[in-house]
Amino acid sequence: MDEINKYLKFLTLKFSQAVVQSRLGGLIHTKCNNSGTDSSWFNIAIQDHPDVLIETKKALQLSQSETITNRLPLCVEISLQTSEGDKMILEVWSLNIDEKLSDPTLKANYNIYNRMSILLKSLLSITRITPAYKLSRRQNPDSFSIYYRIYSGVIEQQQHNLGESYKQIRIGSLTTQIGTITMAVAYRTKMTISPTQTGRDNTIMLKSDHFLKDLSPKHLRYTNYNKKNDKKVIDLDKPMRCGAFVDVSRIRQYTEEDFILPENPPFNWLLRKPRDENLESKIEEEKLSNSQNDENSSPTNNNNLNSRIAEAAKMSQSPKENSGTSPSSFKSRWSMRENKEDDKLLKELQFPFANQSPIGDLAKFYRECFNAPALESFALENAEPVFEEVEDDEAVNDLTKQLEQFETSLNEFDGLITSLCESENHNNS
Amino acid sequence: MNARSQIFEFTLEDRQINETLASLFHTVLFHRSLGKFIYSGDSSYSVGTIGTQDIDCDFIDFTYVCCSSPSLDRAIKKEISNFSEQLRSHESGCAGQISLEFFQKKKNRWPFQAENIPWEVWTVRLDLLELNNEDERQMYRERVGDMLAEKILYITEVMNRQDDYVPKMPAQTELDLIFDTSHADVQPYLFKFKFSTSAGAASTSVKSTMQKIIKETLSL
């Protein structure tokens, strides 16, 4: 019995060493030793970390008169603390003995010693597979550190401290003359830190005026916040001021002219440029005259972008021909590609090594549009009056006449349909 | 044959074969090894201490503990890499199994050879798969690690069961019938590896039988 108690005491000491050392963050490598002089307990080389030994002995508070069975269970709690001070318990390893489940018939102490050795080996293996092991390997003072706490007695509400869906593993149990020894671990599976997890002993040092409304920083923060919101309204009447350290003499003075956007529409460069300024002035003149002449004309003749482009194109093609608004302006626009001068523009759109880029796609698209065949209607310029300024009234009259005709011959259509239906019925029958 | 048998199955990438098998077999042998017996007199002996070593896997998110015995490690790795090579060759059909078999020898009368009686067999069946991208590789890195953790738990559970099929401690003269005494630093129970791959199974068995016959004739 005394022998088994001694085994159990050393098993407990090695248990806490094995658990704590596995969470120090490094790889452990101990050498085999068969000198026979100083063989370790349970024939496994687990070093004795002095701090852990002291902590374990403190927790067990072993005295000569008391057996270790009264001091169990022993728990090793592994927790994580972030650099901000948030704390979270990761796992609780426990070693317990149930004295009711004893087997006094067991005699071979050597067997029990060997089984304890196997139990310790299992403990070593399992300490490497719980989530806390990976965390401990990654610990770093800048982000988080792993701490341990060894205590004796009832497991302290570990279920609550390990969060939802924590897991429990029984590493193994061993029946002896004095009871059944059990090693187990309960560990956290959800690794998110919530504010409620802060430890009880983690009291914050507070200044005595902390909750005084006028002095508390919280209060100040809120008023500041409100003030900021008020300030956000920008007073347009106030002159703009330059920032700190700006050389005032170098600041460009903006005049009203700077605020007028240039006439050129966006992507104007893609469009054909008028050949010279002369031409441009002519366009301007023409535009003016057009607007004067066609004050009541249809919206398509307004000074919108399209018509201007069309006219510009037409002008460049036949600068001497100044025939005002006419269908030929459309034609000239669409037949621009015939002009060799456009090659210039196409050359501009050559982007070497840019075959796959979006700008390459744009160039390709532009070229395709450029080389599109002219609509036949434009080719048959005079024969097709489609784009001529058709007398709208006539067309409308034509339509009304046609409608009238159809209406008068409604009966004929109805007759046709009924005859068709009838013939179909006959066929079916 | 009345051996306890355990079977694990894994689906993994070829680069993970060696580490998966090493972590499983090393864990088993860590539990099934004792410190070296040192005899000082006729019946008294002392037992050496087993060192431990943490091993990080490169292709699996996993760390395992094994005996820090270079010679035992070599013995295990050699068998694993033989199997792994065969499995990765194109004839293997991408599936195979390897067994770690613990046995004890039973002496026979001359001229018969000692009989090997297995008492525990750990079998790992592997199916290879090909991964197309790093995302999948990362996923399998974690998945195989999780599966290994499960199997390690199972191994420890088996090791701590109190059933007595494990051979009894022998007398000094019969130590070689139970333990592998060839290693200088640890003393594992006698073990051997057997493996086969789905396509190469027939040829290896023929080969091994032939080898056995030749060996036996030579030993006579």
Side-chain angles (χ1 to χ4, degrees):
Chain A
M1 292 283 267
D2 284 350
E3 192 80 344
I4 299 296
N5 267 318
K6 193 178 158 195
Y7 290 173
L8 181 58
K9 182 189 159 191
F10 281 98
L11 181 70
T12 313
L13 294 177
K14 290 291 177 189
F15 160 79
S16 62
Q17 292 285 352
V19 171
V20 174
Q21 286 179 34
S22 71
R23 298 297 180 257
L24 294 179
L27 289 172
I28 293 171
H29 185 182
T30 54
K31 287 219 167 80
C32 293
N33 171 26
N34 48 14
S35 65
T37 48
D38 49 16
S39 66
S40 311
W41 270 95
F42 309 106
N43 309 113
I44 307 170
I46 299 173
Q47 286 174 342
D48 284 320
H49 213 281
D51 292 345
V52 183
L53 191 65
I54 291 165
E55 287 295 316
T56 314
K57 284 187 170 166
K58 210 195 279 175
L60 289 172
Q61 285 179 328
L62 283 174
S63 58
Q64 289 296 322
S65 57
E66 210 175 11
T67 55
I68 186 157
T69 47
N70 296 332
R71 301 299 308 163
L72 294 178
L74 183 85
C75 295
V76 182
E77 179 188 283
I78 302 294
S79 59
L80 173 151
Q81 195 167 340
T82 63
S83 52
E84 284 96 38
D86 289 318
K87 201 182 161 194
M88 174 165 75
I89 295 172
L90 296 175
E91 51 189 14
V92 181
W93 299 81
S94 62
L95 176 73
N96 202 359
I97 185 160
D98 189 344
E99 288 175 84
K100 285 170 204 157
L101 298 171
S102 63
D103 186 354
T105 59
L106 287 169
K107 289 278 177 270
N109 286 353
Y110 183 78
N111 253 347
I112 288 168
Y113 185 83
N114 269 347
R115 290 218 150 264
M116 284 181 172
S117 172
I118 289 177
L119 201 54
L120 267 181
K121 285 173 183 168
S122 295
L123 175 71
L124 286 170
S125 292
I126 291 173
T127 49
R128 272 69 176 174
I129 63 170
T130 58
Y133 180 73
K134 281 171 193 161
L135 284 173
S136 74
R137 291 288 299 278
R138 282 191 309 221
Q139 65 183 310
N140 169 353
D142 296 336
S143 50
F144 62 86
S145 303
I146 303 290
Y147 294 87
Y148 71 92
R149 188 164 72 97
I150 301 170
Y151 58 86
S152 158
V154 190
I155 301 164
E156 292 177 6
Q157 308 167 335
Q158 53 168 279
Q159 282 82 354
H160 299 291
N161 292 334
L162 293 169
E164 287 170 46
S165 64
Y166 71 96
K167 276 191 182 169
Q168 267 183 306
I169 298 175
R170 202 180 68 165
I171 297 149
S173 58
L174 166 63
T175 306
T176 68
Q177 295 95 313
I178 56 168
T180 297
I181 302 159
T182 309
M183 269 189 204
V185 59
Y187 63 92
R188 172 185 293 275
T189 55
K190 285 190 177 165
M191 292 298 173
T192 43
I193 291 179
S194 64
T196 51
Q197 297 284 345
T198 47
R200 282 156 292 159
D201 49 348
N202 216 4
T203 46
I204 309 158
M205 295 291 283
L206 292 180
K207 270 175 83 179
S208 55
D209 61 358
H210 185 76
F211 295 109
L212 272 176
K213 226 188 171 186
D214 298 331
L215 292 171
S216 100
K218 201 177 177 185
H219 167 73
L220 283 175
R221 195 174 72 222
Y222 275 102
T223 50
N224 271 346
Y225 183 70
N226 286 339
K227 270 181 194 166
K228 249 187 193 171
N229 266 5
D230 292 343
K231 269 189 181 170
K232 281 224 165 161
V233 180
I234 296 162
D235 192 352
L236 289 171
D237 294 337
K238 283 184 182 169
M240 281 169 78
R241 291 163 71 183
C242 53
F245 313 115
V246 172
D247 186 356
V248 186
S249 62
R250 284 194 167 186
I251 295 176
R252 197 182 148 196
Q253 292 296 318
Y254 289 99
T255 56
E256 270 198 25
E257 281 168 34
D258 288 309
F259 302 123
I260 298 165
L261 290 171
E263 283 276 298
N264 295 341
F267 293 106
N268 199 24
W269 61 279
L270 274 176
L271 297 167
R272 230 174 146 284
K273 283 177 192 121
R275 203 186 291 158
D276 48 28
E277 282 183 6
N278 257 347
L279 199 66
E280 256 178 356
S281 60
K282 272 181 191 169
I283 293 166
E284 286 303 309
E285 279 171 29
E286 192 194 18
K287 202 167 66 189
L288 276 173
S289 64
N290 279 348
S291 55
Q292 280 165 359
N293 291 343
D294 306 325
E295 269 174 354
N296 299 323
S297 61
S298 62
T300 47
N301 267 347
N302 274 349
N303 245 353
N304 65 19
L305 190 61
N306 277 340
S307 62
R308 255 200 283 168
I309 294 162
E311 279 155 26
K314 185 209 72 186
M315 290 301 284
S316 60
Q317 190 205 21
S318 48
K320 282 174 188 171
E321 191 186 6
N322 199 353
S323 56
T325 54
S326 78
S328 66
S329 70
F330 285 97
K331 187 221 161 189
S332 59
R333 185 193 166 190
W334 288 108
S335 55
M336 271 193 304
R337 76 213 124 74
E338 288 163 15
N339 199 320
K340 281 181 182 171
E341 284 181 30
D342 293 319
D343 291 351
K344 254 190 196 173
L345 195 73
L346 281 173
K347 268 179 194 163
E348 260 181 67
L349 282 168
Q350 293 285 348
F351 300 107
F353 315 117
N355 295 336
Q356 301 297 318
S357 69
I359 195 84
D361 287 344
L362 178 66
K364 196 182 159 202
F365 171 73
Y366 182 73
R367 251 176 265 129
E368 272 171 10
C369 287
F370 216 78
N371 293 325
L375 285 172
E376 281 180 18
S377 52
F378 295 136
L380 305 169
E381 200 179 336
N382 293 320
E384 283 286 331
V386 183
F387 284 101
E388 284 207 41
E389 280 189 350
V390 195
E391 297 91 300
D392 290 344
D393 291 346
E394 256 180 50
V396 171
N397 283 341
D398 274 354
L399 274 174
T400 44
K401 269 180 198 169
Q402 251 186 322
L403 275 173
E404 271 168 23
Q405 258 185 356
F406 289 144
E407 266 171 39
T408 48
S409 51
L410 251 180
N411 287 334
E412 278 179 49
F413 294 140
D414 286 345
L416 181 71
I417 288 162
T418 45
S419 68
L420 279 170
C421 290
E422 274 170 18
S423 63
E424 205 176 311
N425 284 341
H426 281 298
N427 287 343
N428 286 345
S429 61
Chain B
M1 193 162 118
N2 200 14
R4 305 298 166 104
S5 181
Q6 317 291 343
I7 297 175
F8 297 140
E9 286 181 10
F10 281 88
T11 303
L12 39 68
E13 208 187 3
D14 56 359
R15 59 170 81 188
Q16 295 173 320
I17 298 171
N18 293 37
E19 286 178 339
T20 301
L21 296 175
S23 54
L24 292 171
F25 293 148
H26 260 304
T27 303
V28 170
L29 274 160
F30 178 50
H31 284 84
R32 289 274 180 248
S33 294
L34 301 178
K36 189 87 176 159
F37 285 13
I38 304 129
Y39 289 88
S40 50
D42 291 334
S43 58
S44 70
Y45 64 93
S46 64
V47 181
T49 301
I50 298 177
T52 68
Q53 191 174 1
D54 290 337
I55 307 288
D56 280 339
C57 296
D58 291 329
F59 303 110
I60 310 166
D61 214 1
F62 196 70
T63 305
Y64 63 91
V65 185
C66 66
C67 300
S68 61
S69 161
S71 65
L72 179 63
D73 184 53
R74 269 198 302 278
I76 298 171
K77 293 272 171 69
K78 195 183 132 200
E79 294 286 345
I80 289 176
S81 61
N82 285 344
F83 169 66
S84 165
E85 262 173 44
Q86 191 178 324
L87 185 58
R88 278 189 284 188
S89 66
H90 294 290
E91 301 90 55
S92 73
C94 295
Q97 68 172 45
I98 179 165
S99 304
L100 167 62
E101 196 176 289
F102 289 100
F103 63 95
Q104 68 181 101
K105 284 181 188 166
K106 202 181 168 190
K107 271 187 181 162
N108 260 336
R109 266 202 247 165
W110 193 88
F112 300 104
Q113 271 205 315
E115 201 182 342
N116 292 346
I117 304 162
W119 50 271
E120 190 177 60
V121 184
W122 298 86
T123 303
V124 184
R125 286 189 185 145
L126 296 182
D127 271 307
L128 294 194
L129 80 153
E130 276 191 26
L131 299 179
N132 302 317
N133 55 50
E134 284 307 311
D135 280 349
E136 284 182 7
R137 218 155 266 151
Q138 185 58 35
M139 205 179 74
Y140 262 85
R141 201 187 144 79
E142 284 166 26
R143 185 181 289 181
V144 175
D146 290 344
M147 281 166 71
L148 277 175
E150 257 175 54
K151 307 304 178 200
I152 299 292
L153 266 185
Y154 182 72
I155 291 170
T156 59
E157 196 192 314
V158 171
M159 294 298 175
N160 285 287
R161 276 181 201 158
Q162 295 198 352
D163 37 17
D164 297 317
Y165 59 89
V166 181
K168 298 267 183 305
M169 280 306 149
Q172 187 186 354
T173 49
E174 296 190 330
L175 197 69
D176 291 349
L177 302 181
I178 306 289
F179 290 105
D180 179 353
T181 50
S182 63
H183 305 283
D185 36 19
V186 287
Q187 188 172 293
Y189 284 93
L190 278 171
F191 67 92
K192 63 184 171 194
F193 285 95
K194 281 182 178 171
F195 59 83
S196 62
T197 55
S198 53
S203 63
T204 42
S205 65
V206 169
K207 196 179 151 198
S208 59
T209 344
M210 282 307 288
Q211 278 176 341
K212 204 179 166 190
I213 291 167
I214 291 164
K215 267 186 193 166
E216 278 173 11
T217 17
L218 284 175
S219 70
L220 286 173

